[in-house]
Amino acid sequence: MPLLHNRIDKRVLKQKMQADPEARVTLSFYKYHPIADPQAFRDDLWLTWSELDVLGRIYVAHEGINGQISVPEARIEEFRQRIYAIPFLDGIRLNIAVDTQSKSFFKLKILVRKKIVADGLNDATFDVTNSGRHVNAQEFNALADQPNTVIVDMRNHYESEVGHFKNAICPDVDTFREELQVVRDLLADQKDKNIVMYCTGGIRCEKASAWMKHNGFQHVFQLEGGIIEYARQVKAQGLENKFIGKNFVFDERLGERISEDVISQCHQCGAPCDAHTNCRNDGCHLLFIQCEACAARYHGCCSQACAEVIALPAEAQKEIRKGLNKGRQVFKKGRAQNLKRKTPAT
């Protein structure tokens, strides 16, 4: 029976990826479509895509597929043919990353989940296919200029903190599940307005826009392809770019620059900065914003306490980590008690 998982140590894989001179293309895609046997579908994908040296993270569920991957540039057309050969993925939009220079993933991980995006919704209670009207970059800009429009960022606070659309509402939430309820309640008295939703690549808005329509909102729109496709279109068509700052991404890059604006601060000293990092202490691994000066001062850690931990021998560090469950603390950097600066999105 063929091996259907990667068993190599992640540190070895990271080193291999960083040393590999081969050019790669980072892209993302999603599709809501019934999959009868997610596990069998997942295993077939693994066999096919590992042959092509595809790296990345893909979620498969009964409701569809959601993927963020990296493909060798020389094999991108072969990958396109392979994915289009899957009937329900034939012609699927592949969102090519704005930042083409960085190495984004170091291993292939395909996971079977209950949902391809954790939303906490009971899909049986509303029509999930009745989503908002898709708009391209030009249409989005036109809607944004109308006084009867409300732009809503459907991402988490640590994403919108480093970049968002001008005049967008950016809820201070940690999860998409939480945001769905917050946005519904926040806009309860604005159901007759144009509600324009956006996220990184579009997948969160598919479900969110249907949820908002179910809750009585009359004019719901969603940005086709999300921030990634918007950035591509405004550049290709010479349109006004209404996005300021960085687009946060869930891979090794942690962000890709859309505009030269730096709208956030280092969480340790308050200097202008929008570079996310993870605390080097593996027992913490906190996601936060850190400038170069603080990275040098704290040795890549979020606090002096964590800097002291990484100075210990490896076995001592392992003993300290024993039994710890970090949970989603990795994604609560804006509210961590050991950070001096916890700036909300502006």
Side-chain angles (χ1 to χ4, degrees), residues 61-89:
H62 282 292
E63 67 176 1
I65 183 171
N66 175 22
Q68 299 87 42
I69 63 174
S70 165
V71 183
E73 189 174 58
R75 308 194 75 170
I76 189 67
E77 285 308 316
E78 186 179 357
F79 170 79
R80 198 187 306 271
Q81 291 173 11
R82 293 282 190 99
I83 195 171
Y84 286 173
I86 301 171
F88 80 90
L89 296 178

Side-chain angles (χ1 to χ4, degrees), residues 246-297:
K246 261 186 175 180
N247 176 33
F248 182 93
V249 291
F250 293 87
D251 58 51
E252 293 295 304
R253 299 170 299 155
L254 292 178
E256 50 186 15
R257 186 157 298 288
I258 306 299
S259 84
E260 295 306 312
D261 306 274
V262 176
I263 66 171
S264 53
Q265 298 175 314
C266 171
H267 287 149
Q268 291 173 307
C269 73
C273 180
D274 56 11
H276 274 103
T277 189
N278 287 107
C279 179
R280 284 186 58 203
N281 174 13
D282 287 339
C284 174
H285 206 62
L286 191 74
L287 180 70
F288 69 110
I289 297 173
Q290 185 179 56
C291 68
E292 292 183 2
C294 287
R297 178 182 177 184

Side-chain angles (χ1 to χ4, degrees), residues 8 73 75 90 106 130 157 179-180 184 194-195 198 239 246 288 301 316 318 324 326:
I8 304 174
E73 189 174 58
R75 308 194 75 170
D90 186 14
F106 59 87
N130 185 27
H157 72 92
E179 178 156 29
L180 287 166
R184 179 196 61 185
N194 295 324
I195 307 300
Y198 71 89
L239 304 174
K246 261 186 175 180
F288 69 110
C301 293
K318 193 176 294 184
L324 286 179
K326 296 189 292 291

Side-chain angles (χ1 to χ4, degrees), residues 70-233:
S70 165
V71 183
E73 189 174 58
R75 308 194 75 170
I76 189 67
E77 285 308 316
E78 186 179 357
F79 170 79
R80 198 187 306 271
Q81 291 173 11
R82 293 282 190 99
I83 195 171
Y84 286 173
I86 301 171
F88 80 90
L89 296 178
D90 186 14
I92 189 174
R93 184 187 63 250
L94 302 176
N95 281 334
I96 306 298
V98 176
D99 176 9
T100 59
Q101 303 304 313
S102 302
K103 302 293 181 70
S104 52
F105 295 99
F106 59 87
K107 67 184 295 184
L108 176 61
K109 184 184 294 186
I110 308 180
L111 303 172
V112 174
R113 291 282 180 84
K114 289 184 178 180
K115 289 195 171 188
I116 53 177
V117 177
D119 53 39
L121 299 176
N122 181 354
D123 293 356
T125 62
F126 69 105
D127 184 359
V128 297
T129 67
N130 185 27
S131 57
R133 179 188 151 199
H134 291 76
V135 295
N136 59 29
Q138 186 174 14
E139 293 168 324
F140 179 93
N141 283 359
L143 279 167
D145 290 336
Q146 295 181 20
N148 197 42
T149 291
V150 178
I151 301 174
V152 186
D153 193 316
M154 292 306 299
R155 302 172 302 154
N156 305 322
H157 72 92
Y158 56 88
E159 299 175 78
S160 59
E161 183 174 0
V162 295
H164 52 78
F165 280 102
K166 298 174 184 177
N167 302 316
I169 293 174
C170 301
D172 184 23
V173 296
D174 289 326
T175 66
F176 180 52
R177 177 195 302 252
E178 180 186 359
E179 178 156 29
L180 287 166
Q181 314 303 323
V182 168
V183 169
R184 179 196 61 185
D185 297 343
L186 186 66
L187 303 180
D189 61 347
Q190 303 183 63
K191 292 186 176 180
D192 60 335
K193 291 190 175 182
N194 295 324
I195 307 300
V196 184
M197 317 179 89
Y198 71 89
C199 56
T200 308
I203 186 170
R204 282 176 274 191
C205 292
E206 291 288 347
K207 191 71 69 74
S209 62
W211 166 250
M212 293 295 278
K213 291 179 73 173
H214 171 69
N215 280 277
F217 291 84
Q218 304 298 313
H219 311 290
V220 183
F221 303 83
Q222 61 184 103
L223 181 58
E224 175 76 19
I227 299 164
I228 298 173
E229 178 62 12
Y230 176 89
R232 187 195 70 78
Q233 290 182 16

